[in-house]
Amino acid sequence: MNLNFFPTTEPRPHGQRGHASRARKGGALFLLASLLIPTLYAQTVGGTIDGTVLDASTVSTPIPGATITLINQDTNAKRTATTDPRGRFAISSVPPGSYRLEA
């Protein structure tokens, strides 16, 4: 009977590995799978309304800092956005419906 509690350098028979090796491989496999499996997104019903606000007199000069209000015609619910330095805005996650846009 061998009661040696210290690791040995004797090679193990083919196909036999220690528990730590299996745990490392399992962890590496889990990490690899989590990186390779694409993230699943739930389907959402809605869209994005975006645009650019331009000065009406020049038709080419953007208006930064303008407040944009999106108003649902059925519920009168309002969402707002502010234009960026290039006059652009975006309002996302807009449910289907009839809307009025004010600047």
Side-chain angles (χ1 to χ4, degrees):
M1 174 189 272
N2 183 0
L3 296 176
N4 186 1
F5 292 104
F6 298 100
T8 64
T9 57
E10 297 173 6
R12 296 177 187 215
H14 182 68
Q16 292 183 1
R17 296 200 169 105
H19 295 291
S21 178
R22 274 190 238 137
R24 266 192 304 260
K25 281 189 177 181
L29 182 60
F30 176 76
L31 179 63
L32 181 64
S34 66
L35 293 175
L36 294 178
I37 296 174
T39 305
L40 300 176
Y41 295 97
Q43 287 184 331
T44 58
V45 177
T48 299
I49 297 177
D50 60 3
T52 304
V53 178
L54 302 173
D55 186 334
S57 64
T58 64
V59 190
S60 62
T61 305
I63 301 179
T67 299
I68 306 302
T69 305
L70 181 67
I71 304 166
N72 184 309
Q73 299 286 39
D74 299 325
T75 65
N76 210 32
K78 297 179 182 180
R79 304 258 314 265
T80 60
T82 304
T83 58
D84 67 9
R86 294 181 179 171
R88 298 178 304 190
F89 70 92
I91 302 173
S92 60
S93 301
V94 178
S98 296
Y99 293 90
R100 184 175 74 243
L101 191 64
E102 297 178 351

